[in-house]
Structure formats: C-alpha cells, structure tokens
Amino acid sequence: MTDFNTLFDQIVAELGGRNSVMALLNVGPSALSNYRKRGTIPSAKQALLDKALAQKGLKFEADDLRLSAHNSAEIRRILLIITGGIAAYKALDLARRLMERGLSVTGVMSKGAQEFITPLSVAALTGEKVYTDLFSLTDEAEMGHIRLARETDMVLVAPATAHFITKMALGMADCLASTICLATTAPVMIAPAMNPQMWAHPALQQNLNTLVQRGVEIIAPATGDTACGEVGAGRLEEPIIIAEQVSTRLRQTYQNGPLSGKHILITSGPTIEPIDPVRFIANRSSGKQGHALAAEAVKRGARVTLVSGPVTEAPPAGLTHISIETAHQMKEACEAALPADSVICAAAVADWHVVGASTSKQKKTEAGPTVITLATNPDILASLSHHDKRPSLVIGFAAETDNLETAAREKHRRKGCDWLIANHIAADAKHSVFGANTNKVLFISSETCEEWPNLKKTDVARRIFDRMEAWFDGD
Ligand code: C5P
C-alpha cells in the first residue's frame, strides 16, 4: 500500500504540479506542506481534488490510499438550486457533502438566496460557475437555461422556501430556478426549510402533495429550534443526511437494482388521533417493521414512499418520507402517492378518531371526565385494495391476540389485499411484538398460509421482498 505522501505527490503530479494544485485549492505552499505533515487533506479541499481527478478519469480511493481509474459515467451532476431562506448558508456545507460523495455540483441561486450567501462563495466551493439570471446573455451564450436543466442527473432544491415550493406547484417560470424545475427531465428532490407554522399550513402541505404526485421527492425538514426562535418541524434536514439521500436516490435511478423502476408505497408506525391540543389516542407501534421494509425496498433499487406516523425510528435514507399524524392524513398521503406498483400497509392505524376534537385544552371539572365520542377511521388498506389506481400487489399486516390464523384469513378476505402478514401480539407488553427487533409471522395469500420462524424484522422484510421480486418476475 502507498503511504499518504507518495499518493499526495502522485496527485500533485497528475494535476499539473504544485502551482496548479495551489491555484485549484486556493492555498499557498505552506498548506500543501501541512497536508503532507498531517497526512490528511481537509474535506472541502479533498472534494476539489476529487473533482479535478475525476475530470482526468481518476479516483482517489481513501481506504487503500491509491488512485484508480474513474468511470466518467459514474460522475453524476447535481444542479443545486438555493432559494432564499436563512438556511441558505447550510447549502455551502451541503455542496461540500455532495462533492465528498463524488458528485459534481453546479449552483443556481435565486435572488433571495443571494441576500444570505454570495454566488462567489458557492462558486469557490464547487469550482463551477454559479447561475443566477434567466436573462443573462453571457450565460445563455455559454449554456442556455434549457441545456442547464437537461444536462444534469438531478435537480436538488435546498433549502426550498415556502414561496419557491408554491411556485413549483403552480408551474411558474418567472426566474431561472423555477424555469429549470419546469424544464428538467431529471429527478427533482427538495429539502424544505421554514417556520414550523408555515410548514404545517394546509396551503403549503397541499402544494407539497401536488409536487409528490408529480414525482418530486421531499426530504422532510427536521424538528427542533428554528432560526425564528420557534420549535417544531421546519429546520432544514442536516446537510449530511440530505447528501446521503441524494446519492442513494442517484444510485437507485442510475444503477440497476432488482426493483428499479418500481414504486413501493409503505405505511409505518402508529397514527395518533387528537382529543384536544394536548392529549391524543395512540398505540404501541414503533414503526420498526415498516421502516425495515422501507429500507429493504430502497436497497433493492425501488423508488419508495414511506408514509409514517410519529416514531423515534429515523426514516431510512434514499426515500420520500411523508410524516403524518392521523389516519385521515395517512389516507390522503397514500392516495396522493399513487400510482404505485405495490403498497405495504404496515402501519398500526387507529380504528377510531375523536369526533369534534377540541381546539382548546379540556378542563378537569367537578362534573367528572369529559365524554369523548369516537367515529370509525377509514380503512386505508381496504380502500387501496379497491382503489381505481390499485397497486398490482397490495400487502397488509395484522396483529392479533387470539385465534391468529382464523382472524388473519378472515381479514385477508375482508380487506381485499393480495398478501397478509399476521403476527401474534403477546398480551403482556414485555413480550410484545411492538418495539421488539424480532417478529414471528404467518404469511397468508389466497394460495397459502405459511408459518415463518421467529426472525429479525429486517429478515422478515427481506423475505417479503424476495417474494415480491419473484412475484414481479411472474413466478
Ligand atoms: O383491521 P386491522 O387494523 O387489524 O388491519 C390491519 C391492517 O390494515 C394493517 O395492514 C393496517 O396497516 C391496515 N389498516 C389500515 N387502515 C385502518 C386500519 C388498518 O390501513 N384504518
């Protein structure tokens, strides 16, 4: 194995000598000596080296310190559209993270974004010209906006402001960034960032649904403190997570997995049904099985939409995660995500919701507890099984405490799904399937009822997808 300094000298030679490398990295001779002394290169500079090496058909293999041939077809191009929110400054870190993953990044900035960071900083970091104007003669002469939109492997809008999301939903083309979103044929992903109230607003959620229906993938914002001082969902997801989701998505799109080209919709976790702003009806679902299924579908190259209730489990990278609370919201999100080739309903959907849930906190009074009236929730699995856009393979789950097989067979018939995975719930919480890492299930279809051994939930997911692959192959 080569040592770091030999490799570094090799890189310098490949890139035209010390002066060219200093210009490329925008550093002086002492920085180069420091890299040799320390045996490492700062990641932002490494990303610039990686890119220059890739243009020469070379790849730096960090693990075994060597240069290898880089297949230029592997270098994927991202148009990073930065729109104008305070989170715009995080786009710099995001660009770096994307480049660390061997991606080539070209920045496009809205007017608003330029109030927060300069095109110069994006250009310096990416080593690429940054585009800002729809009507720039110079830019149009070099690279017309349509070419810019077409000659990319992915369009990523991060941060995506509420205003820009609305423009996308309306199909506006009043600036370079929105025109690109309209003209591109590449996959589009957006990472929204905004105030929690704005994020939760039905107008915004409706616009997001419109985009999801058109195949735009949403990298949902994280929950926590936001720049405006409010706490809630709205913070731009961490750049490293966005970069990971983008590179997974690119791998799926441009590399063949056994399920590539298939869209799999998965529900996971519980739904929660509000009683008032403080209290709600919930259940013990951890989302572990649903999330394991989603991760497995991503691994096999499928395009995955995960609609999930509140869980502590993080959504796997490389999929569209739609976070909901109630059964009605879950149904709406699932229908908006259609068409899909398969749906797996692994969520523990609440059977009832509270009629007329109060918008203010119910008070404890002398008269005794508040009486709540329940109404039945829509059955999402049954409605997808009978939907006019029914996915070709509909899979349900069932958890029962008694007479597992009889109850599960009856549920299989009643819900109209193709397969039903049934598990036994132990009466005591300690031995319950909820929150556990293993699951012992019955696999039921109209042809068979099989008892699977006690398996890790990840292995249950693997088996289900082995079946699904065989099913799609027509076995
Ligand atoms: O009726 P039960 O809740 O036992 O059915 C379980 C199956 O039906 C699971 O696949 C669950 O995700 C789905 N389900 C649903 N909508 C409901 C209730 C259950 O999709 N309202």
Side-chain angles (χ1 to χ4, degrees):
M1 200 201 276
T2 330
D3 68 18
F4 177 84
N5 285 342
T6 315
L7 177 69
F8 189 68
D9 292 343
Q10 214 180 323
I11 292 176
V12 170
E14 288 289 352
L15 296 180
R18 285 173 65 82
N19 288 342
S20 321
V21 171
M22 287 191 298
L24 172 73
L25 304 183
N26 195 17
V27 294
S30 58
L32 296 196
S33 313
N34 283 340
Y35 302 160
R36 290 180 106 261
K37 243 186 266 160
R38 285 193 226 116
T40 58
I41 303 168
S43 58
K45 304 296 181 195
Q46 180 67 58
L48 291 173
L49 287 180
D50 285 345
K51 190 163 168 228
L53 287 168
Q55 278 159 359
K56 294 193 161 288
L58 291 168
K59 189 177 183 178
F60 168 61
E61 307 269 5
D63 290 344
D64 42 3
L65 283 180
R66 69 190 180 94
L67 280 179
S68 65
H70 197 308
N71 174 0
S72 63
E74 281 176 21
I75 310 163
R76 295 290 166 198
R77 292 152 305 173
I78 308 271
L79 265 191
L80 173 60
I81 296 183
I82 308 168
T83 66
I86 180 70
Y89 79 94
K90 292 190 185 167
L92 296 174
D93 187 26
L94 174 59
R96 194 163 64 86
R97 302 287 181 186
L98 292 166
M99 291 164 72
E100 279 170 8
R101 283 159 181 77
L103 301 167
S104 145
V105 180
T106 301
V108 173
M109 295 174 71
S110 72
K111 261 209 170 68
Q114 294 168 61
E115 300 288 333
F116 294 94
I117 53 170
T118 64
L120 187 62
S121 45
V122 179
L125 201 80
T126 58
E128 291 284 344
K129 180 177 170 58
V130 171
Y131 296 84
T132 54
D133 288 328
L134 183 54
F135 301 114
S136 157
L137 278 181
T138 341
D139 291 354
E140 285 297 308
E142 273 176 31
M143 167 81 107
H145 60 271
I146 299 292
R147 234 183 90 200
L148 195 59
R150 295 281 162 77
E151 293 187 4
T152 188
D153 295 304
M154 160 149 326
V155 174
L156 169 66
V157 188
T161 59
H163 178 66
F164 194 74
I165 290 169
T166 306
K167 291 210 299 187
M168 284 179 77
L170 290 172
M172 286 174 75
D174 63 336
C175 66
L176 178 62
S178 58
T179 307
I180 287 173
C181 292
L182 209 55
T184 191
T185 46
V188 179
M189 293 181 86
I190 68 171
M194 66 197 69
N195 165 278
Q197 287 298 330
M198 291 166 77
W199 171 252
H201 197 286
L204 192 270
Q205 289 297 323
Q206 199 175 335
N207 287 333
L208 283 172
N209 269 339
T210 305
L211 294 181
V212 168
Q213 268 174 303
R214 294 189 194 135
V216 172
E217 291 190 34
I218 319 288
I219 302 171
T223 301
D225 295 330
T226 55
C228 49
E230 289 176 30
V231 181
R235 267 164 75 111
L236 182 73
E237 183 52 284
E238 288 304 319
I240 194 156
I241 296 179
I242 300 176
E244 207 35 58
Q245 296 206 14
V246 166
S247 64
T248 309
R249 179 72 177 87
L250 281 166
R251 266 199 308 278
Q252 286 168 9
T253 309
Y254 298 104
Q255 278 178 21
N256 278 339
L259 288 179
S260 69
K262 297 273 186 269
H263 177 207
I264 316 278
L265 171 63
I266 298 172
T267 70
S268 181
T271 65
I272 61 171
E273 308 293 335
I275 297 170
D276 65 19
V278 187
R279 306 161 180 111
F280 54 82
I281 301 175
N283 63 61
R284 292 182 188 273
S285 171
S286 63
K288 279 190 178 163
Q289 185 62 77
H291 280 50
L293 286 159
E296 190 59 33
V298 169
K299 260 192 223 155
R300 297 184 190 223
R303 179 162 77 82
V304 181
T305 305
L306 174 66
V307 181
S308 134
V311 287
T312 49
E313 206 78 3
L319 48 69
T320 303
H321 176 226
I322 302 173
S323 156
I324 54 82
E325 291 201 333
T326 67
H328 275 97
Q329 289 166 356
M330 180 172 271
K331 180 167 186 278
E332 213 171 282
C334 286
E335 287 178 344
L338 294 177
D341 297 281
S342 176
V343 59
I344 310 180
C345 291
V349 183
D351 288 318
W352 309 286
H353 66 270
V354 176
V355 177
S358 170
T359 49
S360 49
K361 187 185 168 195
Q362 297 288 291
K363 295 264 182 270
K364 193 163 55 180
T365 65
E366 295 288 314
T370 313
V371 174
I372 54 176
T373 310
L374 299 176
T376 305
N377 272 333
D379 190 313
I380 301 162
L381 174 60
S383 77
L384 293 174
S385 293
H386 298 101
H387 203 278
D388 50 4
K389 289 193 200 153
R390 184 192 199 275
S392 16
L393 184 61
V394 178
I395 306 172
F397 270 72
E400 304 289 342
T401 48
D402 307 297
N403 302 325
L404 180 62
E405 186 176 337
T406 320
R409 279 182 184 277
E410 189 277 322
K411 203 161 277 182
H412 172 248
R413 255 190 321 274
R414 181 162 46 85
K415 303 248 183 184
C417 55
D418 300 293
W419 299 346
L420 192 95
I421 321 294
N423 43 22
H424 201 277
I425 324 167
D428 59 324
K430 202 168 143 214
H431 297 104
S432 168
V433 60
F434 296 118
N437 291 323
T438 57
N439 207 355
K440 186 162 177 3
V441 304
L442 289 182
F443 175 93
I444 295 172
S445 69
S446 33
E447 294 85 34
T448 176
C449 173
E450 294 166 18
E451 188 168 354
W452 290 0
N454 194 30
L455 294 169
K456 284 197 208 141
K457 287 182 176 171
T458 46
D459 288 330
V460 171
R462 234 173 261 144
R463 278 203 178 200
I464 293 172
F465 277 99
D466 286 347
R467 288 279 175 135
M468 186 187 287
E469 271 181 33
W471 190 89
F472 279 125
D473 287 345
D475 285 5

